Amino acid sequence: MFPRPEKGDQIDPVNPQRTAEVIAEASSSPNNAFREYSGTAGRWSELRLYRTRGGKYICEQIGRTQWQGEHDRHSGAVCETEVEVQEFFGHGWLAKELYDDAGIAAVEIIE
């Protein structure tokens, strides 16, 4: 099993030949005693945002489970802009925590 990347680590999960830095991360919790409770016992989400040397963003989302017979769900995307990052992660409370950690202004423009 690979060690979990931490903020500031030099890792690129998409292309090991290129280096990216973890710039933000956020996680909900399967424990309903925590403020970050996911809303579902035994399941939680992990969001991670990387920045490549070339200035692109790598978005990683993992849906974790503790339930027998279920598997973790993984999704990711390479984004050019902060707007694309927000399109990938959306505007839920966990995504907003990620944006705050990354210094991204998470606003929705309503016309």
Side-chain angles (χ1 to χ4, degrees), residues 68-106:
Q68 184 176 350
E70 293 185 355
H71 301 282
D72 291 348
R73 299 172 324 278
H74 297 262
S75 61
V78 177
C79 300
E80 299 278 343
T81 66
E82 291 179 359
V83 170
E84 291 178 1
V85 168
Q86 291 180 50
E87 287 172 358
F88 177 79
F89 287 118
H91 291 279
W93 70 269
L94 188 57
K96 289 181 180 182
E97 284 193 14
L98 181 81
Y99 304 146
D100 185 53
D101 193 28
I104 295 174

Side-chain angles (χ1 to χ4, degrees), residues 7-48:
K7 189 172 181 181
D9 282 355
Q10 300 292 316
I11 294 174
D12 183 340
V14 177
N15 184 349
Q17 287 75 32
R18 199 172 346 155
T19 302
E21 178 181 354
V22 178
I23 61 171
E25 56 189 340
S27 178
S28 60
S29 171
N31 186 332
N32 65 3
F34 293 135
R35 179 183 70 85
E36 299 86 4
Y37 178 54
S38 66
T40 307
R43 296 185 185 100
W44 69 99
S45 295
E46 295 176 1
L47 308 180
R48 209 164 282 114

Side-chain angles (χ1 to χ4, degrees), residues 43-58:
R43 296 185 185 100
W44 69 99
S45 295
E46 295 176 1
L47 308 180
R48 209 164 282 114
L49 184 62
Y50 303 81
R51 185 82 185 227
T52 68
R53 287 184 189 166
K56 293 182 182 180
Y57 296 96
I58 298 172

